[in-house]
Amino acid sequence: VGWASEYMFRCENKQGQEELLSHHLFLVGVISTFKVNVIIESASWSPLVLALPSVVNFFVIAFKQWALLNDRVKHWEWLCYQYRLRQDNVADENQKALEKQKSMHFPGVDWRSQLHERRMFIFRTSMALFIPVLLGIAMHIYDSLQPEERAARLEASAQCLNVTIAALDRS
């Protein structure tokens, strides 16, 4: 009640999230990369339990962003259609409401232009995948070039684990 279409409601309900979801997607990609790198470096599958939710979350965020993008495109098409219907009557209250909707959700877009948000979605999503993967590859190469440090880290973490287990056994 109060919205002209379901797309308008979803755009109003999730206002500004098209930008925030992109940043969230990138951060989840970075976290997932670190977790996958821990799986590779530890040579154990047990950290997979911790990495799996982040990987699933990445795809959930991408799906939510794609659905919001489709709602925004349909809302823009509806606004443009309504604007063309009322273009001659400038003093119309509905015309003012359309201008307000446009300025709130699509501030940089002209009435006669099309939305190009799908291109930005594909670009941002590919960067959210590509940059963390490159970071993970660089981390893996760095670790493989210094095997003595890696061995010392693994030994230190094993000793820390033994001390923790021994302390737990005493209590």
Side-chain angles (χ1 to χ4, degrees):
V1 177
W3 286 276
S5 68
E6 62 182 298
Y7 312 114
M8 181 186 285
F9 168 74
R10 287 197 290 259
C11 288
E12 286 282 328
N13 195 30
K14 298 175 181 172
Q15 185 177 356
Q17 284 193 11
E18 69 277 356
E19 186 74 27
L20 294 175
L21 285 173
S22 298
H23 300 302
H24 193 183
L25 192 67
F26 176 74
L27 292 175
V28 169
V30 169
I31 290 171
S32 298
T33 300
F34 281 113
K35 289 181 178 182
V36 168
N37 199 30
V38 166
I39 292 171
I40 292 170
E41 295 297 322
S42 69
S44 171
W45 288 101
S46 60
L48 181 64
V49 174
L50 299 175
L52 197 58
S54 294
V55 173
V56 170
N57 191 23
F58 184 88
F59 292 106
V60 168
I61 293 169
F63 176 76
K64 285 171 60 175
Q65 190 174 10
W66 184 255
L68 178 60
L69 177 71
N70 286 332
D71 288 339
R72 285 178 54 81
V73 167
K74 289 177 184 174
H75 182 48
W76 174 250
E77 290 170 354
W78 182 86
L79 281 176
C80 288
Y81 174 74
Q82 294 298 320
Y83 180 78
R84 283 191 301 273
L85 287 177
R86 294 172 174 78
Q87 196 168 9
D88 297 332
N89 192 358
V90 179
D92 187 14
E93 286 296 319
N94 290 331
Q95 184 73 8
K96 291 178 185 175
L98 290 173
E99 288 289 340
K100 183 178 178 185
Q101 281 285 316
K102 179 195 168 295
S103 66
M104 189 171 14
H105 295 290
F106 310 100
V109 183
D110 186 37
W111 281 113
R112 291 174 294 283
S113 65
Q114 290 183 333
L115 284 181
H116 298 292
E117 291 182 344
R118 287 192 174 136
R119 292 180 193 160
M120 285 306 294
F121 168 79
I122 291 170
F123 174 75
R124 288 177 178 161
T125 304
S126 60
M127 288 298 109
L129 282 169
F130 185 67
I131 292 173
V133 166
L134 283 180
L135 179 66
I137 291 170
M139 288 175 8
H140 185 67
I141 289 172
Y142 177 77
D143 283 345
S144 66
L145 290 178
Q146 302 184 1
E148 305 86 25
E149 288 182 21
R150 181 172 182 258
R153 277 195 317 256
L154 288 174
E155 185 177 326
S157 65
Q159 288 176 352
C160 180
L161 184 63
N162 289 338
V163 168
T164 305
I165 291 174
L168 290 174
D169 285 341
R170 279 185 254 154
S171 58

